[in-house]
Amino acid sequence: MTAQIIDGKALADELRASFKSRVASLAAKGQRPGLAVILVGEDPASQVYVRNKVSACEALGMHSEKIVYAATTSQAEVLTKIAELNANPAIHGILVQLPLPKHIDEDAILEAILPEKDVDGFHAENVGALAQGNPRFIPCTPYGVMKMFEKYGVDLTGKEAVVIGRSNIVGKPMALLLISAGATVTVCNSKTRDLAFHTRRADILVAALGKPRFVSADMIKPGAVVIDVGINRIPEGPDAGKLCGDVDFAAAKDVASLITPVPGGVGPMTITMLLANTIESAERVLKERN
Ligand code: NAP
């Protein structure tokens, strides 16, 4: 079997095109969607992510603000900025790029963002709402994966879904969404005994562990839907430095029925769903105002 490739880039383009009219309509009503992105420090990967987020906003005619602090900036200074952005009506979404430098308490920063502007969906109130099956903002990466299932007609009801990884950003919200969709969900972590036993039972396998090409073809059930969230650099060999996922794509595509590539799979969807959350936030403000 050769799997159908899930084209995350094409789906992201299609969704972004559909957002244009929503942004224009909001702008015409004085509610142009606005996103503020805070970056603390000089992590090169974070710099690229922030730049991409800001330019994605601009491409849609959204308002965006990039706030960059030195790695030595105090927590108090960042909190002051968040309070300012919370009160700014031109800003509908606030995102603090993670990871933060060690002297800054990540939880304190995330909890300071107004839940109504928490477009990453990381505030405890929004995590709780998601867990209750009544989300305000769905974290962008798992939200993008759910859009892929929708686009490719993957019915999750009654399916065995296995998520590798239990992070707050990907694994846990992904599992919650799969539960809400009616799948039977197993969440694996680095302590899981016999990971392959679990993955081989998966009709839906989501790999989010951050280990290059870790999931081999013999860990995949024939005909499974495989979603590769991982973004890694190949450490050595002829492809050293190139991007790859957590799944051995070249071999896995001969076993799976549907599979995401890296790059061009989940990655483009993440920023797209950040735009979606910011637009939804602005639409909510407009609705409340009327
Ligand atoms: P993370 O916070 O490091 O979490 C990794 C998770 O994987 C942890 O729960 C860890 O278990 C588990 N894990 C590690 N090794 C394992 C193993 N051998 N067997 C089973 N589980 C194992 O990472 P993350 O933020 O969730 O990101 C995961 C990957 O997705 C990374 O490659 C990241 O770059 C990528 N990512 C991509 C996007 C995108 O837009 N495509 C967005 C976010 C993240 P423990 O909890 O036991 O340590």
Side-chain angles (χ1 to χ4, degrees), residues 41-252:
E42 285 92 38
D43 177 58
S46 293
Q47 284 176 338
V48 174
Y49 293 144
V50 167
R51 204 181 315 130
N52 290 344
K53 286 167 186 172
V54 170
S55 60
C57 283
E58 284 166 2
L60 280 189
M62 291 166 59
H63 171 66
S64 67
E65 288 181 26
K66 182 169 103 174
I67 300 118
V68 181
Y69 290 115
T72 50
T73 301
S74 70
Q75 179 168 317
E77 196 169 341
V78 181
L79 288 173
T80 303
K81 179 46 97 179
I82 290 174
E84 202 181 286
L85 295 166
N86 281 343
N88 182 348
I91 297 298
H92 302 90
I94 304 170
L95 178 154
V96 178
Q97 187 65 44
L98 302 177
L100 288 163
K102 292 216 162 24
H103 68 279
I104 296 183
D105 177 354
E106 195 172 291
D107 288 342
I109 296 292
L110 295 180
E111 295 308 298
I113 297 171
L114 201 66
E116 289 80 3
K117 296 191 179 189
D118 167 41
V119 282
D120 256 341
F122 296 159
H123 190 288
E125 190 177 310
N126 289 329
V127 175
L130 177 68
Q132 287 182 332
N134 186 25
R136 180 192 274 131
F137 292 114
I138 301 173
C140 305
T141 301
Y143 194 3
V145 174
M146 294 305 284
K147 284 282 171 198
M148 287 173 152
F149 290 143
E150 195 183 303
K151 175 72 185 178
Y152 284 81
V154 177
D155 179 11
L156 299 165
T157 318
K159 297 284 167 58
E160 290 289 335
V162 173
V163 180
I164 316 177
R166 56 173 165 176
S167 73
N168 290 336
I169 295 172
V170 187
K172 277 185 206 157
M174 187 73 250
L176 289 171
L177 290 168
L178 289 164
I179 289 169
S180 287
T184 303
V185 183
T186 303
V187 184
C188 301
N189 61 67
S190 64
K191 313 288 188 296
T192 297
R193 281 182 280 134
D194 199 354
L195 181 67
F197 164 79
H198 296 284
T199 61
R200 281 189 198 121
R201 294 173 29 248
D203 304 309
I204 313 286
L205 179 62
V206 181
L209 66 157
K211 299 251 159 76
R213 295 174 178 162
F214 182 92
V215 178
S216 52
D218 66 348
M219 291 170 74
I220 297 169
K221 177 177 172 177
V225 175
V226 177
I227 305 292
D228 190 352
V229 178
I231 300 179
N232 313 289
R233 295 251 169 228
I234 300 169
E236 55 201 19
D239 292 336
K242 282 195 188 158
L243 283 186
C244 75
D246 288 344
V247 176
D248 179 1
F249 178 82

